[in-house]
Amino acid sequence: MLANKPKKTVETQEKVAKIRITLSSRKVKVLEKVCNILIQRSKKRGLEYHGPVRLPTKNLRITTRKSPCGEGTNTWDKFQMRIHKRVIDLHSPADVVRQITNVNIEAGVEVEITVPDY
């Protein structure tokens, strides 16, 4: 009767964490390209993900006088820089995220990876 009992096996499962990847750039095409690469890699591994969530674009504007001395007609230069942001949430172990994010990120894209502490 003791032989029919199933043996207990110890499974080593890694702790699954919610990892947030924040991408920001001034160029939309480059940003979307990096997002698509990250999503494709997480699909290949069969991970649960949410995103990319498009956050509102920040418009940074500076208006300055053209004349360096301040005399003459009042003419103004207007400069603008747009910053685009995307957020991707992954539900996976930290080791797998390192493998997914090991990608050649193009110049001008900033990546911030946040792992919450429990």
Side-chain angles (χ1 to χ4, degrees), residues 32-103:
E32 290 293 334
K33 183 179 176 183
V34 173
C35 285
N36 289 334
I37 291 171
L38 291 174
I39 294 297
Q40 288 173 358
R41 286 187 172 202
S42 60
K43 280 183 184 178
K44 285 181 184 177
R45 300 227 184 237
L47 299 177
E48 182 182 343
Y49 66 92
H50 298 285
V53 177
R54 289 156 179 86
L55 298 178
T57 304
K58 288 185 181 179
N59 289 327
L60 305 176
R61 293 183 182 158
I62 296 176
T63 305
T64 60
R65 287 278 307 265
K66 283 186 178 181
S67 174
C69 64
E71 294 194 21
T73 59
N74 293 341
T75 53
W76 299 85
D77 271 334
K78 296 177 185 176
F79 299 101
Q80 176 175 309
M81 182 171 67
R82 295 181 180 185
I83 300 175
H84 306 274
K85 272 190 165 184
R86 304 287 184 264
V87 175
I88 300 173
D89 289 331
L90 296 174
H91 300 282
S92 66
D95 297 344
V96 177
V97 173
R98 282 193 203 105
Q99 294 171 0
I100 291 172
T101 56
N102 189 11
V103 63

Side-chain angles (χ1 to χ4, degrees), residues 21-36:
I21 301 172
T22 306
L23 304 164
S24 61
S25 176
R26 292 183 288 150
K27 300 175 184 175
V28 179
K29 289 183 181 179
V30 175
L31 185 63
E32 290 293 334
K33 183 179 176 183
V34 173
C35 285
N36 289 334

